[in-house]
Amino acid sequence: MADVVEVRGGPGLRQEHRLVTEIPGPRSREWDARRAAAVAPGVATTMPVYAVAAGGGVVVDVDGNSLIDFGSGIAVTTVGASAPGVVDAVREQAERFTHTCFMVTPYDGYVRVAEALNELTPGRHPKRTVLFNSGAEAVENAVKIARAFTGRTAVVAFDHAYHGRTNLTMALTAKNVPYKSGFGPFAPEVYRAPLSYPFRDGGLDGPAAAARAIEVIESQVGAENLAAVVIEPIQGEGGFIVPAPGFLPRLAEWAASAGVVFVADEVQSGFARTGRMFACEHEGVVPDLVVSAKGIAGGLPLSAVTGRAAIMDAPGPGSLGGTYGGNPLGCAAALATIDAIAADNLLDRARAIGTTMLDRLGRLRDDDPRIGDVRGRGAMVAVELVEPGTTTPDAAVAGRIAAAARARGLIVLTCGTFGNVVRLLPPLSMPDILLAEGLDVLGDAVAATR
Ligand SMILES: *Cc1c(COP(=O)(O)O)cnc(C)c1O
């Protein structure tokens, strides 16, 4: 097989939409044949183009195509892939040491990340942080901590929730295929409550939707048995569902009054993605525990649970941790990511990107009755496809639009319990001109499927 084209990533990469082959090109197809023989098919791929470089708002593939990135590797490269500060920090750290294990001989980077998260998460109360590798691992640990603190076992998650693929987080996740089917039995003492889903709630407002959820929790679980409610302030995989105003605050208030730990899974919605550091800030909600991952470390694997000191102090010494949790490279990357968010005004940038996307998608919706809803905050925006004039999900149209966009060199993801949502998650490092071009490509894809 021919050698991979040598290209450096980062913002120096030419910010252009350029197709030189069909998508996927011949070299990507060769790699895909090798992959089929070598990689377990359970790991699926949105777009079988093989990356050689990424940066700013593009991903360059082995065939030399330069694709516009509306996926950010699933909301991870918020500060950009190969962001210069992240690259320098990781290189310097790798030259110093790659690992000692924080549980054996600790290092300052872990402590600095904990201090930063204690500062950045909502609320001015004393806090502590513990670091892990993945979002699922952090969600599991948030549940462990809540159980240790409350002495209760039950956990409530919501309709359409996605919290990961480990055994406990599969139980918390709502959608059967592909996440759960055939993988049971699932962890016990996990219960499900109805979410606020404005597009599908027939006008039910946020407080009323919260009352509906609380009624289910009180009658089917009982607050005295309930350790935690775990909720995504804006749902990710479930369909970029923004709950109606008042839903989250009312739920948090109820949890506080019932001695239930309120866990915000900000894995997808956190770290500047929505124009605030954490999405729950849009409604002034102060969670007891906040789970961070995805965008936290510029592409390196790192996750965290941050929360009230009294809760975080409940599990005793040695009861939390993991070999790689808070790996020094991930910590260096996280500190550089946090610096980049401040230095590059990325909260403002996320809001500006959101305004551009919502405006453009709103105009698409006005012309196309298949687009039932346009929603989101900041650089986390989606369109929900339906049969015209109804709220009946149309996953086939969403799939066709996504396929048409990808064939035109736009990396775009779908989501939703019904598979009928096209979501946009551009890196905040994407220049305006490329954002506009990406939205044009999406508009072409929508038109081509009409
Ligand atoms: C992606 C995601 C997870 C799981 O994170 P992993 O790093 O894939 O384990 C958990 N919660 C939410 C909201 C997510 O979007």
Side-chain angles (χ1 to χ4, degrees), residues 181-266:
S181 189
F183 294 146
F186 302 109
E189 286 306 302
V190 173
Y191 300 89
R192 199 161 304 284
L195 185 76
S196 164
Y197 191 159
F199 180 62
R200 300 188 172 279
D201 268 354
L204 195 68
D205 69 14
R212 176 178 67 179
I214 291 163
E215 209 282 310
V216 167
I217 296 168
E218 285 182 333
S219 64
Q220 298 184 20
V221 188
E224 69 278 16
N225 302 309
L226 185 56
V229 292
V230 180
I231 190 161
E232 299 155 84
I234 298 178
Q235 278 193 340
E237 308 303 301
F240 278 30
I241 302 165
V242 186
F247 177 78
L248 292 171
R250 177 68 196 109
L251 200 63
E253 190 183 277
W254 174 83
S257 71
V260 172
V261 176
F262 185 89
V263 180
D265 178 349
E266 293 261 14

Side-chain angles (χ1 to χ4, degrees), residues 134-137 139 162-164 232 236-237 265 267-268 293-294:
S134 70
E137 194 187 2
V139 171
Y162 182 86
H163 298 292
E232 299 155 84
E237 308 303 301
D265 178 349
V267 169
Q268 190 153 165
K294 289 198 167 96

Side-chain angles (χ1 to χ4, degrees), residues 124-148:
R124 299 269 55 90
H125 47 274
K127 292 178 209 154
R128 314 252 195 267
T129 286
V130 55
L131 302 179
F132 303 99
N133 303 288
S134 70
E137 194 187 2
V139 171
E140 287 231 16
N141 277 277
V143 171
K144 284 165 67 172
I145 293 163
R147 283 176 171 162

